[in-house]
Amino acid sequence: MSEGGWAGDASENDLAALERLKSRDDVLAHMTRITAARGFPFFLLCTLPTVDQTKYSEIAVLSNVPDDVTQRYDDSGSVHENQAFVMLRTTTTPFRMTADECRESAGGLFSPERETLLQEVEFCEAYFFPVHDAAGGRAVFIFLSGDADLSIEVMTDLHMICLHVYNRLVGIGGMDQETEKVDLSDREIQCLNWTAAGKTSSEIADILGLSEHTVNHYLNHVAKKLDAANRVQAVVKAMRLGLIS
């Protein structure tokens, strides 16, 4: 058995199990078992953040991190403080970042709230496994650990697992689950598209032959449907979900 409790034939067993995954809950349970067996109590599958996405709760697709931990982490700083997301724009190779390296990327020091939280969850390092699908979609599995030291061989095996799991999730529609829940009217989509084009409510009203009040009503309704804080974030989420182009 190699480092991290990883047996040579374990990857074959894990990959065979993918065929039995039919839902997001199946994938979540599968990844929780895999990561726990390798010494990682928590994991996340995240899309790469846009400029307007500053919280992990906005980019996490799948996670076994308790909601209150994610909320407290988001409240203590921006996701853009993590240099890993800069690296992920240019690399497809797995890498590790220690807590000290994360502090450096955040300017050398975390906020007191974040320091307290990291001590509580005993976070020492994170492993990043970039993934992609045939259509060009990109994301990253993040494994959080208090004490894990993986060899290159084990990281390569885990990367393969992550790639297959991600593609399985895409294949069963797990990445698009949020889209299924969001039903936008033709008018709402039109207003969003013109907003994405940089038009104001007044300009959209003139284009569509509506009142400015009606346009604002549509956009506010869309923001609620997408759980967005404002219309800019609504546009970003709608683009990510494929609701507008």
Side-chain angles (χ1 to χ4, degrees), residues 6-217:
W6 182 267
D9 61 351
S11 59
E12 295 180 5
N13 294 333
D14 288 329
L15 295 179
L18 290 179
E19 296 302 318
R20 297 192 292 272
L21 305 181
K22 306 297 183 182
S23 69
R24 283 168 59 95
D25 287 342
D26 289 345
V27 176
L28 177 62
H30 181 72
M31 284 303 297
T32 297
R33 287 192 298 270
I34 287 176
T35 52
R38 278 82 177 172
F40 297 98
F42 300 125
F43 84 91
L44 306 90
L45 170 62
C46 298
T47 55
L48 303 190
T50 63
V51 173
D52 297 299
Q53 292 174 313
T54 61
K55 300 179 179 181
Y56 278 94
S57 57
E58 295 173 334
I59 63 174
V61 177
L62 205 66
S63 170
N64 67 350
V65 179
D67 289 342
D68 65 313
V69 172
T70 301
Q71 182 64 54
R72 289 174 62 191
Y73 198 86
D74 282 341
D75 289 343
S76 64
S78 169
V79 67
H80 293 289
E81 294 175 352
N82 193 338
Q83 183 67 20
F85 286 109
V86 176
M87 297 171 60
L88 287 164
R89 302 278 178 194
T90 58
T91 184
T92 58
T93 303
F95 60 91
R96 163 191 167 188
M97 286 190 73
T98 66
D100 286 339
E101 289 170 331
C102 291
R103 287 186 184 91
E104 290 177 12
S105 68
L109 189 66
F110 286 142
S111 67
E113 294 80 9
R114 181 165 291 186
E115 287 289 356
T116 298
L117 177 60
L118 295 184
Q119 290 176 14
E120 289 179 8
V121 299
E122 298 181 344
F123 166 76
C124 292
E125 57 192 0
Y127 286 81
F128 296 82
F129 297 90
V131 291
H132 60 275
D133 59 51
R138 296 181 62 199
V140 58
F141 276 99
I142 307 172
F143 295 176
L144 306 178
S145 173
D147 181 22
D149 186 13
L150 305 184
S151 68
I152 296 298
E153 178 186 13
V154 173
M155 288 186 68
T156 300
D157 286 342
L158 276 175
H159 194 205
M160 180 181 66
I161 294 295
C162 288
L163 284 165
H164 281 81
V165 168
Y166 175 69
N167 277 274
R168 180 61 177 174
L169 187 63
V170 171
I172 63 176
M175 295 292 290
D176 302 321
Q177 187 179 50
E178 191 175 353
T179 306
E180 297 172 1
K181 295 180 179 179
V182 180
D183 183 20
L184 301 184
S185 69
D186 290 342
R187 282 299 195 193
E188 288 170 340
I189 291 174
Q190 288 174 338
C191 289
L192 264 184
N193 272 318
W194 283 115
T195 299
K199 301 297 183 181
T200 65
S201 293
S202 176
E203 291 170 331
I204 296 172
D206 290 340
I207 293 169
L208 298 180
L210 304 171
S211 70
E212 186 175 349
H213 172 78
T214 299
V215 170
N216 286 330
H217 170 76

Side-chain angles (χ1 to χ4, degrees), residues 214-230:
T214 299
V215 170
N216 286 330
H217 170 76
Y218 281 133
L219 291 173
N220 289 336
H221 198 210
V222 166
K224 289 181 180 178
K225 286 183 177 181
L226 293 171
D227 193 25
N230 51 52

